[in-house]
Amino acid sequence: MRDADTPPQEPTDDRPHSVALTPQQRADLIRTAAAEVRERVQEWRNNPAWRNTPANSHRYATTLGAIDDLGRLANPDTEEAAATLADVVRPVIMEWRPSRPGPEQAIYAAVERLRRTIDASP
């Protein structure tokens, strides 16, 4: 049993190597990972344990704002355009840390998957 301060263990990353991916495939991976983060954040916000503190409200707004911005971007046809998608959601990664307990652990795990997806991009 792990304590609340220990991040969940992640399975190994078995995605195709990034150089084998087209810009559209990279975009699809980023969008999928971001959608999971959004789902986890919504679950946290709807949880009875949610506390409407300034920090929580900021993290919630930053996360949803970045993911909404991602949804407004066109599908990329170049590596540079795919990198723009990664840049749009990068602020989400800065908001979540592994030491937060409870439902935020699921968010952290989803954000880590998003970070690895972004880091795999050239």
Side-chain angles (χ1 to χ4, degrees):
M1 179 177 210
R2 67 180 181 84
D3 64 37
D5 291 338
T6 304
Q9 298 300 309
E10 288 297 313
T12 58
D13 186 6
D14 59 357
R15 293 183 321 245
H17 190 272
S18 65
V19 296
L21 299 177
T22 66
Q24 182 59 56
Q25 289 169 323
R26 264 187 247 295
D28 291 345
L29 289 172
I30 291 168
R31 290 179 198 275
T32 298
E36 181 188 2
V37 170
R38 182 186 192 98
E39 186 177 328
R40 298 290 87 77
V41 169
Q42 282 300 138
E43 288 171 356
W44 171 61
R45 175 63 180 87
N46 295 332
N47 187 300
W50 162 264
R51 300 292 179 250
N52 194 21
T53 65
N56 285 349
S57 294
H58 170 76
R59 289 187 297 148
Y60 178 80
T62 297
T63 301
L64 267 57
I67 294 170
D68 287 348
D69 290 347
L70 176 67
R72 288 189 278 277
L73 294 175
N75 288 328
D77 55 359
T78 66
E79 293 300 329
E80 293 78 21
T84 299
L85 272 66
D87 290 341
V88 166
V89 294
R90 204 170 302 280
V92 173
I93 294 166
M94 303 308 296
E95 292 297 326
W96 301 98
R97 300 288 177 255
S99 63
R100 302 198 200 284
E104 293 175 69
Q105 283 294 311
I107 298 169
Y108 171 74
V111 168
E112 274 300 293
R113 285 187 286 278
L114 175 60
R115 183 193 59 75
R116 285 195 315 267
T117 299
I118 290 170
D119 288 350
S121 298

